[in-house]
Amino acid sequence: MLEIRNLTKRFGGVTAVDDISFRVAKGHIHAVIGPNGAGKTTLVNMISGVYRCDGGSVWLDGADITNIPTDRLVYRGVCRTFQNLEICGRMTVLENVLLGFDRYMNKSLLPTLFRSRQLLEEERRYTERAMHLLGLIGIEKYARQEARNLSYGILKKLEIVRALATSPELILLDEPVAGLNPKETSEVAELIRTVAADEVTVILIEHDMRMVMELSDRITVMHFGKKLAEGTPDEIRNDPKVIEAYLGGNK
Ligand SMILES: Nc1ncnc2c1ncn2[C@@H]1O[C@H](COP(=O)(O)OP(=O)(O)OP(=O)(O)O)[C@@H](O)[C@H]1O
Ligand SMILES: [Mg+2]
């Protein structure tokens, strides 16, 4: 379903992502792990059209989607969350989710929504759907509150819900549980499982190894921009190269 072929990105003298290739089957959870600075976020930025690739290509369901900008990729069913939250603090939780539906709405600007009867009806439907998605992770009770007044944990969940509102085929999650407590972490893990069971393909960047090992179908390990290993959680757990990269420090 998703095929990454020889992706490469350079920043000046640094090759942040160096000839990375892998394939992900539909509805699978594919983790990309590696030490800080390994190139994981840069890889997500290329797949999601934030950075132009210096080499290689990205294929989704057989179509070449390399270097399509993020705002166009959403129409191809690709969306992502950010390592640093990108939530609109002055909007309510509900409004943030409604932004995610933007691709389906008649009017792209929310304030124009509330005019005709037809648009009111549309707003009602999307609000219902948004409340359903918020309910999946238990934050529907905050729907009418301004995002900036809420805790970090709630905003991390909100970011995933907003991404889901685009009805993606592929969702890229960059450290979705960083900074969350164990309870919030298991709630997000459960949501990711539900999403994948719904045939959405998931790319998961995460430092929480327990979560990665429990959730992933396959794992790609990056180290200094290169692919160090790829395999099932069991294969990765027992791979001497991986153990060395994590425990042996920088070489
Ligand atoms: N916009 C940029 N300009 C210059 N260098 C960059 C840029 N983005 C990333 N880099 C460099 O590319 C390398 C990979 O960074 P990246 O953020 O992709 O790592 P990461 O694996 O996501 O790390 P972390 O686990 O800390 O999030 C690093 O050496 C980083 O300094
Ligand atoms: Mg990163």
Side-chain angles (χ1 to χ4, degrees), residues 120-134:
L120 266 179
E121 172 58 22
E122 193 179 27
E123 196 231 354
R124 196 190 56 74
R125 265 192 301 120
Y126 283 117
T127 300
E128 220 166 71
R129 171 97 181 117
M131 293 304 284
H132 168 75
L133 291 173
L134 289 167

Side-chain angles (χ1 to χ4, degrees), residues 156-174:
K156 287 290 273 186
K157 291 173 177 175
L158 171 58
E159 215 191 9
I160 301 174
V161 169
R162 186 181 56 186
L164 290 176
T166 67
S167 298
E169 281 178 54
L170 169 66
I171 184 167
L172 303 139
L173 303 171
D174 196 355

Side-chain angles (χ1 to χ4, degrees), residues 41 83 174-175:
T41 295
Q83 188 169 350
D174 196 355
E175 303 201 19

Side-chain angles (χ1 to χ4, degrees), residues 104-115:
Y104 300 106
M105 288 186 174
N106 273 332
K107 291 277 191 310
S108 63
L109 291 172
L110 286 173
T112 58
L113 263 178
F114 308 98
R115 294 203 182 129

